[in-house]
Amino acid sequence: FEKLFGEKTIDVINRDTKLSTTDITNFIKNDSGNIEKVHDAASRGNLDCQIFLSQISIQTLMRHENNPDTSDETFAKIYKTLERYTRLAAEQGDADSQYNLAKYYLKQVDFSNKDSIDEEEALTLKEARHWYKQAHENGHSDLSEAIASLEWVE
């Protein structure tokens, strides 16, 4: 497809196409149906589209977190999208996405009124620790304390 991205005209968004947040936003504003093309490009490995969709999901979640009218179905959809695109970007080495994925997993565990965690929660915490370590190795701000706080998880 050939669409205008800000000042750029491109034929195809492939894995290596470099796009700014503004480029992607303008593309979607130009035609709301283009969001599916952004999803497709992200699924095919375009890091900029993955990061964009991850960030949009985080912002959407933040808008809905304290809204009592938000359905469980809506939350499930937001969380699924957030995890999918954040993970794809994290797997490509994006330190911010790795950090956000670690925070996502950490938030999945309810520590309130518990003396212990179950096996599923332990696996979730291991995922959080893994992504904090990856983010730290890829230059995200000092995460030593966050990593150390999860070393007890076996």
Side-chain angles (χ1 to χ4, degrees), residues 1 5 13 19 24 27-28 32-54 56-57 60 77-78 80-82 84-86 88:
F1 55 90
F5 276 86
I13 304 175
L19 301 166
I24 298 170
F27 181 59
I28 295 167
S32 62
N34 286 340
I35 188 69
E36 293 307 318
K37 294 174 183 171
V38 173
H39 279 272
D40 182 56
S43 296
R44 287 185 285 112
N46 184 282
L47 180 60
D48 295 329
C49 290
Q50 292 167 353
I51 292 169
F52 177 84
L53 293 170
S54 171
I56 292 297
S57 297
T60 302
K77 185 176 179 181
I78 295 167
K80 182 179 178 182
T81 303
L82 187 155
R84 178 176 186 207
Y85 293 112
T86 305
L88 287 171

Side-chain angles (χ1 to χ4, degrees), residues 8 19 24 32-33 42-43 47 53-54 63 66 68 80 82 85 94 101 103 123-124 129 133 143-144:
K8 301 178 197 174
L19 301 166
I24 298 170
S32 62
S43 296
L47 180 60
L53 293 170
S54 171
R63 279 197 318 271
N66 297 316
K80 182 179 178 182
L82 187 155
Y85 293 112
D94 181 68
L101 191 59
K103 284 179 34 180
L123 289 172
T124 300
R129 182 179 62 207
K133 284 181 177 180
L143 296 171
S144 304

Side-chain angles (χ1 to χ4, degrees), residues 15-30:
R15 182 178 176 91
D16 300 320
T17 304
K18 298 295 179 199
L19 301 166
S20 70
T21 300
T22 302
D23 290 336
I24 298 170
T25 302
N26 288 339
F27 181 59
I28 295 167
K29 283 181 180 178
N30 185 41

Side-chain angles (χ1 to χ4, degrees), residues 14 23 43 56 62 69-70 80 85 91 109 121 152-153:
N14 61 40
D23 290 336
S43 296
I56 292 297
M62 290 170 59
D69 296 330
T70 302
K80 182 179 178 182
Y85 293 112
E91 288 172 347
V109 178
E121 291 170 320
W152 60 273
V153 180

